[in-house]
Amino acid sequence: MKKLIKINPEKALKYSSQYISLSDSMQNMERQTRNKFAKIAFETDEITKEKEEVEEQYFIVVWVCLAIFIIALLLFVIGKQLLKQKEFRLQQVQQKANEEIYNLLLAQQNKIDSARNNEKERISKDLHDGVLNRLASTRMNLDSLHNQPTSENVQKSKILIDGIQDVEKEIRNISHDLNKEVFAKSVSFVKVISAFMEDQFEATKTRNFLEFDSNINWDLLTGGVKIHLYRIVQEAVHNTNKHARAQSIIINFLAIEGGIKLEIFDDGVGFLLNKKKKGIGLQNIYSRTALCNGTVLLESQKGIGTTLKLFVPYQD
């Protein structure tokens, strides 16, 4: 247009008008384009800024959540440890209370034994002062009547013979009472276990079946071994009542060659042996059995129950 203005002056006004119009149009278009780019750049900066703010907030939230999780985990671990310590202290207190109860039972049994010994002394005096004197008197009377064999003396002899039969009955009764003392040393342990199971039934209403083999020689077990056996029964029953949710417990003391076999069975929920950790109760059972030079076998299945088999040898 500029060249046409110079070449053709006659139409210079027309060309000048077109040039100005075209120039203004191009300037407007350039201005609009620059405005669009400026707007896009501004919006891009705003989006970038918002993105950075969002990322910063996201990291803050993540770190806060992580801190809260760590604090919660620490509180959980600390609480669990405190609970375990409290449970351990309670078990210690319970064991101490059980030992005191057992000692009281033994003391009570000692009183019974003392009374039994006094009764034996009384029976011994009765034998000496009553039976022996009557026998000596009857023997002397029979000797006297034997030297004078009259019909009257024969009748008296029959009366004396009947008196001897009464003496035999008295001796038989006393002998029967004395024979009961043969098992005096076993009565204490058997009664303590029986009393404990009765107390457990009253407390938990779990049916229990307790059996003692009459062939067990309790005299071959020391007092320490009996205490360990009592503690094992106590621990096993407490574990059953606490964890197994059993309906019944069966305890058998069996006499086998060289010692005693103890079997404790419950019909509770059972557990998997390979996944079950040995708690303090089971560790106590194993350690007490080892102190008795015995062996332990634990059997359990889920939904069937648990059986504890234990062998303790007689003490030489």
Side-chain angles (χ1 to χ4, degrees):
M1 289 298 175
K2 285 183 178 181
K3 289 181 178 182
L4 289 174
I5 291 172
K6 292 178 180 181
I7 294 172
N8 193 355
E10 295 178 355
K11 296 182 179 180
L13 181 61
K14 177 182 178 181
Y15 292 144
S16 296
S17 176
Q18 290 179 356
Y19 170 78
I20 293 171
S21 176
L22 182 59
S23 177
D24 291 341
S25 175
M26 291 179 66
Q27 288 178 1
N28 289 333
M29 184 178 296
E30 183 180 358
R31 190 180 298 110
Q32 290 177 0
T33 302
R34 283 200 304 271
N35 290 339
K36 286 181 180 181
F37 278 110
K39 183 178 181 182
I40 291 172
F42 176 77
E43 291 178 351
T44 302
D45 292 338
E46 290 293 323
I47 293 172
T48 303
K49 186 177 179 181
E50 290 179 359
K51 179 183 176 183
E52 291 176 353
E53 291 178 354
V54 169
E55 289 178 351
E56 185 178 356
Q57 292 176 357
Y58 172 76
F59 281 115
I60 292 173
V61 170
V62 169
W63 281 108
V64 170
C65 292
L66 184 61
I68 293 174
F69 174 76
I70 293 174
I71 294 173
L73 182 61
L74 290 175
L75 291 176
F76 173 76
V77 172
I78 294 172
K80 192 173 182 180
Q81 290 296 326
L82 292 175
L83 185 62
K84 285 185 178 180
Q85 292 178 0
K86 184 178 180 181
E87 184 177 358
F88 179 71
R89 287 195 296 269
L90 288 175
Q91 288 179 349
Q92 287 182 327
V93 172
Q94 185 178 12
Q95 287 184 353
K96 185 177 180 180
N98 291 333
E99 289 178 1
E100 292 178 355
I101 292 173
Y102 184 75
N103 291 331
L104 289 174
L105 291 173
L106 288 181
Q108 183 66 25
Q109 192 60 41
N110 289 333
K111 291 181 181 179
I112 295 174
D113 292 339
S114 177
R116 185 180 289 110
N117 290 331
N118 293 334
E119 184 66 13
K120 288 173 64 176
E121 185 178 355
R122 183 191 66 78
I123 293 173
S124 176
K125 290 181 180 179
D126 290 344
L127 283 172
H128 182 271
D129 298 338
V131 176
L132 292 180
N133 287 339
R134 288 179 63 182
L135 286 175
S137 176
T138 301
R139 180 179 58 78
M140 292 175 63
N141 290 329
L142 286 174
D143 287 340
S144 176
L145 294 175
H146 178 72
N147 294 328
Q148 298 176 1
T150 62
S151 58
E152 182 179 357
N153 288 342
V154 171
Q155 294 295 326
K156 291 181 179 180
S157 297
K158 291 181 179 180
I159 295 174
L160 292 174
I161 291 172
D162 292 336
I164 291 175
Q165 291 178 348
D166 293 336
V167 173
E168 290 178 351
K169 291 180 181 179
E170 185 174 353
I171 293 174
R172 190 178 297 111
N173 291 333
I174 294 174
S175 176
H176 180 70
D177 292 335
L178 290 177
N179 285 334
K180 293 180 180 178
E181 302 299 324
V182 173
F183 302 100
K185 291 184 179 180
S186 66
V187 168
S188 175
F189 179 77
V190 173
K191 283 189 174 181
V192 168
I193 294 291
S194 301
F196 169 72
M197 294 305 296
E198 289 176 1
D199 292 340
Q200 289 298 306
F201 175 75
E202 291 296 329
T204 64
K205 301 305 179 183
T206 302
R207 297 189 304 272
N208 61 76
F209 303 91
L210 183 62
E211 182 178 353
F212 294 91
D213 193 336
S214 59
N215 295 320
I216 295 176
N217 190 347
W218 296 101
D219 296 339
L220 295 179
L221 294 179
T222 64
V225 172
K226 290 179 181 178
I227 290 177
H228 286 311
L229 286 175
Y230 173 79
R231 291 290 175 228
I232 289 171
V233 172
Q234 188 181 58
E235 191 65 48
V237 172
H238 283 166
N239 285 343
T240 299
N241 292 333
K242 185 177 180 181
H243 304 292
R245 300 195 296 275
Q247 299 296 321
S248 59
I249 304 173
I250 300 175
I251 300 178
N252 290 327
F253 285 88
L254 305 173
I256 61 176
E257 184 178 357
I260 293 177
K261 184 177 182 181
L262 170 61
E263 292 183 346
I264 303 175
F265 168 77
D266 68 72
D267 58 356
V269 296
F271 57 89
L272 297 176
L273 292 175
N274 57 349
K275 294 185 178 180
K276 176 69 173 178
K277 295 183 179 180
K278 288 184 181 178
I280 296 176
L282 285 178
Q283 291 178 2
N284 288 340
I285 290 176
Y286 278 88
S287 62
R288 288 185 181 277
T289 305
L291 292 173
C292 299
N293 297 321
T295 57
V296 179
L297 176 62
L298 184 63
E299 300 175 347
S300 183
Q301 293 184 20
K302 274 203 166 184
I304 295 179
T306 303
T307 301
L308 178 69
K309 296 181 180 180
L310 184 146
F311 170 75
V312 173
Y314 287 134
Q315 308 298 309
D316 297 330

